[in-house]
């Protein structure tokens, strides 16, 4: 079991950048699928990007070319670099983890079991 704590959210103007961080503690030496998700007010939570144990990152179309997910320090830090931000990127962003037992579920953001508390991103036009 891992624990996840996000940081790095804030308020920016459209076209700006933010980098979100997620500190992974606990059983961080084990392999997990990791993901970034977001939830806007009144909307369902959606997948942003997921990372499988092989290091392959899967992005949703809405963020391709603008967001980059990466992992460092022996899997203890997870990042989401967000460039060219748009007002529609405004949401609470969450870091999440799941077991790597199902590669399809990992990639599609299905049944992620462990979640951080979230960090708010607000993009103004």
């Amino acid at each position: 079991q891992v624990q996840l704590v996000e940081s790095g959210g804030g308020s920016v103007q459209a076209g700006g950048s933010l980098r979100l961080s997620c500190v992974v503690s606990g059983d961080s030496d084990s392999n997990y699928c990791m993901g970034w998700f977001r939830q806007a007010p009144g909307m369902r939570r959606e997948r942003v990007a997921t990372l499988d144990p092989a290091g392959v990152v899967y992005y949703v179309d809405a963020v391709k070319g603008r967001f980059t997910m990466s992992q460092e320090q022996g899997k203890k830090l997870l990042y989401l670099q967000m460039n060219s931000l748009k007002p529609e990127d405004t949401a609470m962003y969450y870091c999440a983890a799941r077991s790597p037992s199902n590669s399809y579920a990992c990639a599609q953001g299905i049944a992620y079991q462990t979640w951080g508390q979230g960090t708010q991103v607000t993009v103004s036009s």
Side-chain angles (χ1 to χ4, degrees):
Q1 186 80 14
V2 293
Q3 293 80 46
L4 307 172
V5 178
E6 305 95 332
S7 63
S11 297
V12 296
Q13 290 192 323
S17 298
L18 284 173
R19 188 176 79 159
L20 306 184
S21 300
C22 175
V23 176
V24 183
S25 61
D27 188 19
S28 56
D29 291 332
S30 297
N31 281 329
Y32 288 89
C33 293
M34 302 297 299
W36 286 100
F37 297 76
R38 65 187 180 186
Q39 186 169 20
M43 304 292 287
R44 298 182 67 176
R45 186 168 58 198
E46 63 175 357
R47 174 177 64 95
V48 176
T50 51
L51 173 70
D52 72 16
V56 179
V57 182
Y58 304 87
Y59 298 98
V60 294
D61 288 346
V63 308
K64 280 181 181 176
R66 300 189 298 122
F67 290 13
T68 302
M69 180 177 181
S70 61
Q71 195 171 41
E72 294 184 7
Q73 292 191 12
K75 305 178 187 177
K76 297 185 185 299
L77 282 172
L78 191 71
Y79 297 111
L80 184 68
Q81 177 67 44
M82 305 185 296
N83 299 327
S84 302
L85 282 161
K86 304 176 181 180
E88 51 264 43
D89 295 318
T90 294
M92 184 72 79
Y93 282 71
Y94 298 91
C95 173
R98 63 153 286 144
S99 76
S101 58
N102 185 317
S103 57
Y104 177 80
C106 282
Q108 295 299 314
I110 298 170
Y112 274 65
Q113 300 139 336
T114 303
W115 296 83
Q117 83 289 348
T119 186
Q120 177 68 37
V121 172
T122 303
V123 185
S124 58
S125 57

